[in-house]
Amino acid sequence: MANTTTPVEQEESRDELIISKQELVDIHKDLHRTLREAVEEIVLPLKTQFNDFMQELRDTAKKAQDNAETCATLQKEVSKLQNSETDTNLRLLALENRWRQHNLKFRGFEEGVEENKDLALFMDKVLREARLKGKLTFKENKIIVLLDLSTETLEKRKSLKLFSAKLYAANIRFRWSPASDIVVYKNGAQHLAYDFSSGKDLLKICGIPITPEEELLDQK
């Protein structure tokens, strides 16, 4: 099929395909603006979500800090209460021991032997018989006289038995305080043993050695 297009028409067709420099610049600007708007449309919600997330994170961090400060304050208060409770218990124990210090416990009597009897007259009779016999008995049963100590005091003295026994063996005079601490006066100063560590220090002051085996007792 023959080409019927005239040279003039072909020239006009080529002119229509040619784009000027200004048109290219305008197209570039339009494309850049379109892309920017598209990106902003996508990024803006993400940016808003990110800012909201960061704000929530800051709020959470602030709450965590406030909670940590509150916990620290509560821990201090609990520590104060525990120390106060310990001090109060020691004071109560000391008061109880002062109240009990003039009491005696007699072990060896049959259960209910003093019932329906005047206790003072009953004990007076027992003690008068003991002075005559030279020993304290009741119906041939040996009577043991003990100090009237609380359970807490007995446990405290038991925990310090190693040190009281060593002091006794070394003929070093000591006494028990109302709080059941070992009290020794040496070189014009008062020294106390209230736990294993202070007990070792007291023996050292008194010049009493402690064996390696006895050292291990602190770890049990």
Side-chain angles (χ1 to χ4, degrees), residues 34-52:
T34 301
L35 288 175
R36 185 177 66 249
E37 291 174 352
V39 170
E40 288 179 351
E41 185 178 354
I42 296 173
V43 171
L44 184 60
L46 294 177
K47 185 176 181 181
T48 301
Q49 293 178 6
F50 178 77
N51 290 336
D52 292 342

Side-chain angles (χ1 to χ4, degrees), residues 126-138 140-143:
V126 172
L127 294 175
R128 278 191 285 105
E129 291 179 356
R131 282 193 292 267
L132 294 174
K133 295 178 182 179
K135 58 182 179 180
L136 184 58
T137 60
F138 182 76
E140 305 304 324
N141 293 328
K142 183 178 180 181
I143 304 300

Side-chain angles (χ1 to χ4, degrees), residues 1-22:
M1 180 177 180
N3 185 4
T4 58
T5 305
T6 65
V8 174
E9 291 176 340
Q10 291 178 353
E11 184 68 23
E12 290 176 351
S13 177
R14 284 198 300 269
D15 291 341
E16 290 176 355
L17 295 175
I18 296 175
I19 301 175
S20 68
K21 183 177 180 180
Q22 183 60 43

Side-chain angles (χ1 to χ4, degrees), residues 195-206:
D195 57 15
F196 201 91
S197 178
S198 59
K200 290 193 296 184
D201 293 339
L202 179 60
L203 293 183
K204 184 177 180 180
I205 292 172
C206 295

Side-chain angles (χ1 to χ4, degrees), residues 40-195:
E40 288 179 351
E41 185 178 354
I42 296 173
V43 171
L44 184 60
L46 294 177
K47 185 176 181 181
T48 301
Q49 293 178 6
F50 178 77
N51 290 336
D52 292 342
F53 172 76
M54 292 301 297
Q55 184 60 47
E56 291 178 2
L57 188 61
R58 286 191 290 270
D59 293 341
T60 302
K62 181 64 168 58
K63 290 179 181 179
Q65 182 179 0
D66 293 341
N67 289 337
E69 292 175 354
T70 301
C71 287
T73 302
L74 290 175
Q75 286 177 346
K76 290 181 180 179
E77 293 298 326
V78 169
S79 180
K80 288 180 180 179
L81 289 173
Q82 289 174 337
N83 292 335
S84 176
E85 181 184 14
T86 299
D87 183 63
T88 301
N89 288 336
L90 290 175
R91 291 176 181 273
L92 289 174
L93 180 61
L95 288 173
E96 183 179 5
N97 287 335
R98 288 182 184 276
W99 175 71
R100 288 173 174 260
Q101 65 182 344
H102 299 298
N103 297 345
L104 294 175
K105 294 170 67 175
F106 294 87
R107 182 176 297 173
F109 290 108
E110 297 176 359
E111 185 71 24
V113 70
E114 78 286 359
E115 289 184 3
N116 302 320
K117 297 178 183 179
D118 187 298
L119 184 59
L121 293 176
F122 173 75
M123 290 305 304
D124 181 66
K125 179 181 178 181
V126 172
L127 294 175
R128 278 191 285 105
E129 291 179 356
R131 282 193 292 267
L132 294 174
K133 295 178 182 179
K135 58 182 179 180
L136 184 58
T137 60
F138 182 76
K139 294 183 179 181
E140 305 304 324
N141 293 328
K142 183 178 180 181
I143 304 300
I144 301 174
V145 182
L146 303 170
L147 293 175
D148 184 22
L149 301 175
S150 66
T151 302
E152 292 80 2
T153 298
L154 292 173
E155 291 178 354
K156 178 75 174 292
R157 293 192 179 189
K158 183 179 179 181
S159 69
L160 299 173
K161 185 176 180 180
L162 170 66
F163 310 109
S164 61
K166 280 184 168 290
L167 292 170
Y168 183 80
N171 292 320
I172 295 179
R173 297 182 61 183
F174 68 92
R175 68 177 180 84
W176 293 99
S177 74
S180 292
D181 301 328
I182 296 176
V183 183
V184 173
Y185 290 93
K186 191 171 183 63
N187 300 327
Q190 175 181 282
H191 304 279
L192 300 177
Y194 47 85
D195 57 15

